[in-house]
Amino acid sequence: MIDERLAQDRSFGCETIDLKQEADLADQIAAIVGVPEVDCAVDCVGFEAKGHGHDSTQEQPATVLNSIMEITRAGGQLGIPGLYVTGDPGGVDEAAKTGSLKIRIGLGWAKSHSIHTGQCLVMKYHRQLMNAILYGKIKIADAVNVEVISLKDAVKGYHDFDKGAAKKFVIDPHGMIAN
């Protein structure tokens, strides 16, 4: 939903969907892949999700989970590394404050989805990722739009990140990273 992030994704070949649009999510997917569903989906947002279309400014903690169940084919897989908490004192309603969400688990059951939750298994892929970076197969810093900042700029970097900046900040307190 952040135009700068959508542009960053498109800059290295990704197809994007702008959830601020009123168009149905399945229709937007069909416009890209030819059918209104995907084989698998990943929720990287978590409990701070916002609604789609005219609700895109309203927090709706279960919207991503329900959306990925709707658009993932029968027998598909759902990955949920997005952060969900056992309690959120700032939740939008009493249920959200205790980590209870209104998800359509019956839809996921009826479509026989495999659901995988928890933190990503990043350690499993470190060696391959490291080698791909070292041998120039991928330019991860370009893909995530890295910006090196000094320690004195860290507060601004955190502020920009919290606002959804389409970049990853690397704090270099001693000025040792060549730009």
Side-chain angles (χ1 to χ4, degrees):
M1 285 193 246
I2 299 170
D3 294 333
E4 185 182 12
R5 285 187 173 186
L6 293 170
Q8 173 64 18
D9 293 343
R10 286 189 297 270
S11 77
F12 57 91
C14 292
E15 297 284 347
T16 62
I17 293 175
D18 186 349
L19 296 173
K20 295 185 308 286
Q21 296 179 10
E22 292 298 325
D24 181 69
L25 179 57
D27 292 340
Q28 292 184 65
I29 289 171
I32 296 170
V33 298
V35 294
E37 64 183 7
V38 295
D39 293 334
C40 60
V42 179
D43 167 8
C44 296
V45 179
F47 74 103
E48 293 181 315
K50 296 195 167 137
H52 304 165
H54 66 277
D55 290 329
S56 64
T57 60
Q58 306 297 316
E59 188 173 313
Q60 294 183 358
T63 194
V64 177
L65 294 172
N66 288 323
S67 295
I68 65 174
M69 282 190 268
E70 288 174 17
I71 56 119
T72 302
R73 69 168 172 78
Q77 297 196 29
L78 310 178
I80 309 172
L83 176 63
Y84 288 92
V85 295
T86 56
D88 176 15
V92 294
D93 56 33
E94 289 307 310
K97 289 179 182 180
T98 62
S100 296
L101 304 176
K102 294 182 179 182
I103 63 169
R104 297 183 59 200
I105 195 68
L107 176 60
W109 183 88
K111 292 174 94 175
S112 297
H113 287 150
S114 295
I115 300 174
H116 309 273
T117 65
Q119 297 180 25
C120 294
L121 301 173
V122 295
M123 296 302 286
K124 182 177 180 178
Y125 303 103
H126 273 189
R127 180 164 299 284
Q128 295 98 318
L129 179 59
M130 176 191 69
N131 283 326
I133 293 168
L134 288 173
Y135 291 100
K137 300 288 184 189
I138 60 172
K139 307 283 186 221
I140 194 73
D142 293 340
V144 298
N145 200 19
V146 165
E147 181 178 326
V148 177
I149 60 174
S150 67
L151 186 57
K152 70 178 171 64
D153 293 329
V155 171
K156 182 182 181 318
Y158 278 104
H159 178 72
D160 291 349
F161 180 80
D162 284 343
K163 289 171 87 176
K167 50 180 84 172
K168 299 294 181 196
F169 295 98
V170 173
I171 301 172
D172 181 14
H174 304 293
M176 298 178 71
I177 300 174
N179 288 335

